[in-house]
Every structure is written in structure tokens, then in C-alpha cells.
Amino acid sequence: MTHLSIRDLQKISSEAIGTLAGPTPVKSGERTVGLLIPLKAADPERLAAVLARAEALARGRDDAADDAALARFGEVDPVDWSIEAVRALMKKEGG
């Protein structure tokens, strides 16, 4: 399917959306007015591998040097987004 019309979009089921090959333009006449992107469930093994790689790369980073480099572009996000900090926040919030 190369595109969906507005009328098609009103009639399409969630199952049909899930089978789309990828991002699909939504058109009104000849004008593209939106983009329908089917969301697929992540492969848990692939996701775990990506997260492990990200964690390994993060261990070699110098936070102070990163913040100094980013400061040239404006304000640096002061939040500690480390895995430990996020887990502690989730535990504190009851999640």
C-alpha cells in the first residue's frame, strides 16, 4: 500500500495497521496530511543486547567532560539519568 486516504484511515483496523510494511502517508486528495507508523513489539533479546552495549559505552564516558562540551550549546540537563538514579526514583515513586 503506497498511501491511505482519510476515508481509508476511518475504516482500517488495528490488525491492518500492524501489518503495514512501514510508515504510510495519509492523504487528503493529493496532499499528504499525516504519516501512520505501525508500532511493533521489541525483540526482548535484541533490546537487552542494545541496552548492554549502551551501558558498556556509558562506563567509558566522563560526565564532567560531556557536560562541559554540551554547555557550549546552552543549558545542560542537571538530572542524573543513570540507571541507579532512575531505579531509585522509581522505587521512591512506587513504580
Side-chain angles (χ1 to χ4, degrees):
M1 182 176 301
T2 59
H3 73 277
L4 292 169
S5 70
I6 292 289
R7 291 197 188 275
D8 294 334
L9 187 58
Q10 292 172 334
K11 300 173 191 172
I12 194 168
S13 69
S14 62
E15 290 82 16
I17 292 171
T19 63
L20 292 172
T24 304
V26 177
K27 294 191 173 214
S28 177
E30 292 299 313
R31 190 171 139 226
T32 299
V33 295
L35 188 63
L36 182 61
I37 302 172
L39 300 176
K40 310 287 185 192
D43 173 2
E45 290 179 10
R46 184 172 179 222
L47 182 57
V50 169
L51 291 174
R53 182 170 182 244
E55 289 174 0
L57 290 169
R59 282 192 285 276
R61 304 291 308 210
D62 178 346
D63 292 338
D66 289 348
D67 287 349
L70 291 172
R72 297 183 309 181
F73 300 104
E75 188 174 325
V76 176
D77 183 359
V79 177
D80 178 4
W81 291 110
S82 68
I83 292 170
E84 296 81 18
V86 171
R87 284 183 179 146
L89 179 62
M90 289 175 65
K91 187 175 182 179
K92 178 180 174 187
E93 295 295 321

